[in-house]
Amino acid sequence: MRLVLVGPPGAGKGTQAQFIASNLSIPKISTGDIFRANVSGGTELGKLAKTYMDRGDLVPDEVTIAMVRDRLSEDDAQDGFLLDGFPRTVPQAEILRDMLKDWGQKLDLVLELVVDDEEVVRRLAGRRTCSQCGRIWHVEFDDKRDDVCDACGGTLFQRDDDKEETVRHRLEVYQQQTAPLIRFYADEDILVGVDATGPVEEVTQRAMKEIRPYAG
């Protein structure tokens, strides 16, 4: 099965991608993993991407797409894959469609993890990171009433990208970039939404219930 997972920051894409890919016995392929593999492996694409990353610039689409193409051509992805983090835009989605068509393949499903903005803010703005061991706690979910890490005694702090104003800005950017992508896949008639609120296991069960009819 060939599947794309989309959803806003804080929707739990990384966690759900892992569980869903495991349930379907297909590789989970994220752009982050692809970038790290190319950079650490010293590939030509990795070296090129690193020149942009070192300057703090976005890696151009053509480099990202070339990395994705290489990864999808590997043996373990021939019978299916789950893409997390790609495509992010309609032009990328069109290139992916054409790439797969050239290989005699197509996407079976695009699964959208649906979470409302206030739930995302609640999830992300409540996170606190230990300055000593790096563990992440949540002021609500972990019943934290102090700023001390229960694991090592280090001081907890709120990362800048977890602050409410930053989270809301990230959500605005996501909506601007991804709303057209959602419409694109809806028009392709391969988009299915799943409620991503509640315990992780329940979300996975809902997702698998939606996926199975498409899994053949």
Side-chain angles (χ1 to χ4, degrees):
M1 183 175 191
R2 295 171 182 87
L3 173 70
V4 167
L5 191 64
V6 297
K13 288 192 303 299
T15 301
Q16 291 303 325
Q18 194 71 50
F19 285 127
I20 293 168
S22 177
N23 272 306
L24 294 171
S25 300
I26 55 176
K28 177 188 78 71
I29 300 174
S30 76
T31 46
D33 292 342
I34 293 173
F35 275 93
R36 283 187 288 273
N38 276 271
V39 171
S40 64
T43 68
E44 290 304 312
L45 287 171
K47 292 174 185 175
L48 182 58
K50 194 171 185 298
T51 63
Y52 292 95
M53 294 158 68
D54 287 347
R55 294 199 301 264
D57 294 336
L58 291 174
V59 177
D61 261 9
E62 58 265 28
V63 178
T64 302
I65 290 162
M67 287 185 181
V68 171
R69 182 188 298 273
D70 283 353
R71 180 64 185 89
L72 293 184
S73 66
E74 292 181 16
D75 289 345
D76 68 333
Q78 296 315 295
D79 292 328
F81 53 77
L82 185 153
L83 275 173
D84 171 22
F86 183 91
R88 291 183 184 272
T89 64
V90 171
Q92 287 182 353
E94 291 172 337
I95 289 170
L96 175 63
R97 180 186 60 192
D98 293 343
M99 182 194 308
L100 293 175
K101 186 177 179 181
D102 287 345
W103 295 341
Q105 302 172 359
K106 63 180 179 63
L107 285 179
D108 296 298
L109 184 67
V110 175
L111 187 72
E112 179 188 11
L113 297 182
V114 180
V115 187
D116 69 47
D117 286 0
E118 294 310 310
E119 174 64 16
V120 168
V121 172
R122 176 171 166 252
R123 290 181 183 185
L124 298 186
R127 297 197 303 196
R128 299 294 184 271
T129 303
C130 178
S131 58
Q132 191 163 304
C133 71
R135 179 165 174 172
I136 296 175
W137 300 87
H138 198 281
V139 295
E140 182 179 347
F141 306 150
D142 292 314
D143 194 26
K144 295 295 293 175
R145 293 186 173 84
D146 53 38
D147 292 324
V148 177
C149 176
D150 291 348
C152 74
T155 301
L156 302 183
F157 70 98
Q158 186 180 38
R159 289 171 31 182
D160 286 343
D161 58 354
D162 286 338
K163 291 180 178 176
E164 181 173 342
E165 59 271 26
T166 307
V167 173
R168 291 192 183 280
H169 176 68
R170 290 169 65 193
L171 285 168
E172 288 175 6
V173 171
Y174 172 79
Q175 292 298 337
Q176 291 166 5
Q177 291 183 342
T178 312
L181 183 67
I182 298 299
R183 287 196 297 271
F184 174 84
Y185 281 127
D187 289 344
E188 296 268 300
D189 201 27
I190 55 172
L191 178 74
V192 171
V194 63
D195 179 6
T197 56
V200 169
E201 297 82 2
E202 288 183 11
V203 176
T204 305
Q205 289 171 6
R206 286 185 214 127
M208 291 307 301
K209 183 179 179 181
E210 297 293 344
I211 289 169
R212 284 192 183 97
Y214 296 85

